[in-house]
Each structure stands twice: as C-alpha cells, then as structure tokens.
Amino acid sequence: NLADFENKIWAFKEQQEYSKRDLYLLLLYWLHNIGNRSKYKQDSPLISATFSKQTAIKFASGRNSSNVQYIYNIFLSQTSNCQYIETKNLQGLFESLEINWFEDEHKEVIFQDSIFPHNILSISKIEENEEEIIVNPNLMKIIDNINGFGEDEIRYVTELLKSWGITTNQKNFENRLKKLGYDKFVQDNAGRRSIQDEDGIIHDIGNTKIKE
C-alpha cells in the first residue's frame, strides 16, 4: 500500500544518504520509464533514448507517418549538460524497494530536460533503406584542427568529447530559435538548469546532477 511504499522510500533515503532532490529525481526516472502506466508520462521533462539503433528506427517509424526517419546519434559525456541515467542501473535499486520492474528490453538511457548539441555526433536521415549521415559541423571543426587521424588522434578526440563534449558556438541561439517557431528553451550553466518560457521569464530548476 501507499503508506508502506512511502516508509520504504524514506528508509532507503536514510540508508543511501540521498538528498530529497536525489530521491525526487530517481522517482521521476521511474515514473517516466514505466510509460503509459503512469499518467505522468505525457508531462515528463525527461527524454528517452536507446543504445540500439534498430530500436531507435522502430520507434521513429512507429511515430512518424512519413517515409523518412531521423535518428540522432549521440554520445555520453562527463559534462554538466549531459545528465542521464541508464535504465539497467535502476533495476537493482528499485528491486530493493520491492517495486515491480521489467527487463531493459529497449536498452534505454534517459536524459534530463534536453539532449544538448554538445552531445550530438550526427543525424541519420533514413529513407527507403538508404541512410544519409549529417555530421555535426562543430565536430568537423575539431577533426579539421588535428594533424592526421591515427590511433593517437582518435584517442585524443575520444577523450576530448568524453570530458568536454563538442564545443558549440551558441551566439544568436535565441534569435535563431525564435525564427524556427520555438518560444521556450532549456539552459544549462555548469549543471544548474533553467527554463525560459514563452513570455521570456526564466524559471530556475536547480542542480540536475544526481548522486552516483
């Protein structure tokens, strides 16, 4: 029952030394992950992605009546604007709370608030089994600035992306966003998130990094 569940949550918080915010984020991930079984899904600020390209194509084609599917090819970094959790890492945690769980069949990874361009390698345009890859131009700038592309250079670029993400010039970002018809957006400042709404008012979300 709900009272027993609440007691388990608070006991877990004390045992694991989680802050109230960490606990809130974990429960947020859970409500998002159980999908339509939770009425919360449609209002979730979280974004589901997958390590499986085939799963991504399946979901894209199932939700798009067009013959063209677009797949974002992203990578995980240690930067503040890349806050995520892998569903497989939630399984043991929620089992300890006696919450019914299921296998991570979609190989899911869940992002908080946004997938920023700093973590997008490319976009795949798939049409009639033909795939066109549109590479992030800021990634190409990084590659163009190194000499050669041997093992050392590949290792350097890999570590650079993992530690810092793709350097992205965001000058005139807001103006260009509005030209595309968007009227609100998420900002990240060293891990502290805020949302600017359609009236230009900024709402502070707070620190999004969850306890490891």
Side-chain angles (χ1 to χ4, degrees), residues 45-66:
L46 306 176
I47 301 170
S48 291
T50 176
F51 288 106
S52 167
K53 185 175 181 178
Q54 291 306 313
T55 298
I57 293 173
K58 178 182 176 182
F59 274 89
S61 59
R63 298 176 180 180
N64 185 0
S65 58
S66 169

Side-chain angles (χ1 to χ4, degrees), residues 146-157:
I146 62 175
N147 296 319
F149 211 66
E151 287 187 15
D152 290 340
E153 287 78 15
I154 292 174
R155 189 179 301 111
Y156 166 76
V157 172

Side-chain angles (χ1 to χ4, degrees), residues 130-155:
E130 294 290 330
E131 181 175 0
E132 176 186 355
I133 297 178
I134 306 164
V135 179
N136 186 332
N138 294 293
L139 174 60
M140 294 306 301
K141 289 179 181 178
I142 294 174
I143 294 173
D144 288 342
N145 286 330
I146 62 175
N147 296 319
F149 211 66
E151 287 187 15
D152 290 340
E153 287 78 15
I154 292 174
R155 189 179 301 111

Side-chain angles (χ1 to χ4, degrees), residues 6 12 23 29 37-39 44 46 63 72 78-79 90 96-97 103 110 131 150 165 171 182 194 200 206-207 209:
E6 185 176 347
F12 175 81
L23 198 60
Y29 279 121
R37 283 176 286 181
S38 163
K39 294 180 181 179
S44 172
L46 306 176
R63 298 176 180 180
Y72 284 77
Q78 299 169 348
T79 58
L90 290 173
S96 68
L97 292 170
E103 293 297 322
I110 304 173
E131 181 175 0
K171 186 178 181 180
Y182 296 97
S194 61
N207 196 318
K209 185 170 178 56

Side-chain angles (χ1 to χ4, degrees), residues 19 82 86 92 110 126 129 142 145 153 185 203:
S19 68
C82 185
E86 297 178 39
I110 304 173
I126 302 173
N129 296 321
I142 294 174
N145 286 330
E153 287 78 15
F185 55 87
H203 304 271

Side-chain angles (χ1 to χ4, degrees), residues 105-116:
E105 60 180 340
H106 298 310
K107 299 180 179 178
E108 186 177 10
V109 55
I110 304 173
F111 290 85
Q112 291 184 40
D113 304 314
S114 174
I115 299 175
F116 288 92

